[in-house]
Amino acid sequence: MHEKKYPFAVRLAGFSPLEHASIAALLAQAPPAGPAFFCLLDDSLQEPDLTIANCDDYQALAALPADGMAELHPALVVGECPADLGFPCIARPVTAERLFMVMAALVARRAEAMARIMASGLPVIPERRRSRRLDLDLADP
């Protein structure tokens, strides 16, 4: 029997065009046993299901979801992060095996959080900000 694969929208934040294309190509080759992924365009208004951020870009790190929303909007940080942000990190170079292992765990954690919210009868409220969070300070003093 054919198993239905659900596509998850991924936003790539803060990457160079070359690295963006490399990660997007990896995501397009998702293994048949797991979920499917597609990358949102930079100007897309669609809310991503997952975010992959470059640790070297502070604006990308500031755009990550706040602590309370991390389960509903999971994120992954690529590179050596200067501080522990509470998100899973993978080192460069990004390999398909490591990427899909972490992404599968993030998707499973998101599904569990959504199931808990739906079971409690509470509405799922997405986090929306008009501007970047100001409480994230990773700059040198």
Side-chain angles (χ1 to χ4, degrees):
M1 183 169 199
H2 182 66
E3 183 178 332
K4 187 172 184 178
K5 291 182 70 143
Y6 292 98
F8 288 90
V10 177
R11 180 167 317 275
L12 299 176
F15 292 101
S16 68
L18 181 63
E19 195 170 19
H20 186 283
S22 161
I23 294 173
L26 280 176
L27 290 174
Q29 300 170 1
F37 301 100
F38 68 94
C39 293
L40 295 173
L41 298 174
D42 291 336
D43 59 350
S44 174
L45 297 178
Q46 179 179 346
E47 289 289 323
D49 296 313
L50 302 154
T51 302
I52 300 177
N54 181 2
C55 74
D56 298 328
D57 188 336
Y58 293 130
Q59 288 183 340
L61 294 177
L64 293 177
D67 293 334
M69 298 300 286
E71 285 188 345
L72 293 177
H73 299 288
L76 171 65
V77 178
V78 174
E80 295 298 321
C81 199
D84 182 24
L85 299 175
F87 297 105
C89 295
I90 59 173
R92 288 185 172 98
V94 178
T95 62
E97 182 179 313
R98 282 190 293 171
L99 180 65
F100 290 120
M101 183 178 67
V102 175
M103 296 287 279
L106 290 174
V107 167
R109 191 172 78 186
R110 182 177 190 268
E112 290 171 4
M114 294 287 283
R116 278 196 316 269
I117 289 174
M118 298 298 271
S120 68
L122 296 173
V124 179
I125 301 171
E127 177 184 358
R128 299 195 185 271
R129 289 187 225 122
R130 291 181 184 251
S131 60
R132 305 268 188 243
R133 256 190 353 257
L134 298 177
D135 61 344
L136 184 66
D137 184 15
L138 297 176
D140 289 333

